[in-house]
Amino acid sequence: MKCEALIDYFNGTLNDKDRAAFEKHLAECTDCREELEELRLLTADLPFAAEPAEPNDGMKERVLSAVFAEEPVTAVEKTAPAPAPRKPARQWLQPLLAASLLLSAGANVYLLAQKEETDQQVAREEPATLAGSVQLAATEGFNGQAQASMVQENGHSSVILQANQLQVPTGTEAYQVWLINEAGDKVRAGTFNTDESGRGAVSYTMPSDDNWQMIAVTLEPTATSEQPLGDIVLAAEL
Ligand SMILES: [Zn+2]
C-alpha cells in the first residue's frame, strides 16, 4: 500500500486487508498523516458532510475541468476554515484531493459556494422595467412584423427585438436593427439571422439614452454594414 490509497482509505472503500496495510503505511508516512488530518478537518466542518450528494454529470465535468485547470481548491477554500500554515502539499495529490472532496461530500461545499455567488448576483440586480414597446410593420414590398421592447435594467437601456414572417436571408445577408435619432443619425442596434421559418430575435444594450425617433430593420448584403445599405424591411416610430 502506498500514498495513492489515501483517498480510498479516507472514503472507507478499502477492504479489511488493504485498510490494515494502509494503516501500516500511515504509521510510517508523515505526508499521508498530514493529508488525512487535513481531509478530516475540511470535512468535519461541512454542515452536510454526513449526507453526501451525488453530483450530476455537468458538475462532475466542471469539477474535473477545474482540476485540470489546476485551480481545484477554490470552492473548498471558500468555506473551509483557514488551514494552519503547512509545507506545500505534494503536487500530484492536491488536485486529486480536491476532486475527491468535490465529488463526494465536497459536492455540498461546491453547491454552497455556487449558491453564495448566485445570491450575491441576485442582490446586485435591480428588477428590469419596460420603458416602451412598439410593433414594427413591414414596408411596401416586404413581409414580416416585429416587436421591439425598450428595457431599463441595472442602469442600462436595452432594446429587444423579436421578428417573424421575415424572408429568410441568403448567402451573406443579415438583418440589422437601427435606431435613428432626431438628427437622422443611425446607430446599429444588433444583427440577426432568421430560422428557416423567418423568425429572428436580437437584444442590444444602447450606448446612450439618445432621443431615438425611429427603429428600423434592414436586410443588409453583409452582417458588417456600419451604415444601412440595404432596404428597410420593418420600421416603427418610437
Ligand atoms: Zn504515504
Side-chain angles (χ1 to χ4, degrees), residues 1-4 6 22 25-26 28-33 90 92:
M1 295 306 286
K2 294 203 303 273
C3 304
E4 283 86 349
L6 173 61
F22 187 77
H25 168 81
L26 204 54
E28 294 156 3
C29 179
T30 324
D31 283 345
C32 276
R33 282 202 304 276
R90 288 156 302 169
W92 66 266

Side-chain angles (χ1 to χ4, degrees), residues 205-229:
T205 302
M206 290 190 252
S208 67
D209 265 328
D210 213 332
N211 193 12
W212 305 112
Q213 300 288 298
M214 199 174 186
I215 184 166
V217 175
T218 59
L219 181 56
E220 295 294 318
T222 68
T224 55
S225 316
E226 291 299 329
Q227 286 292 304
L229 305 171

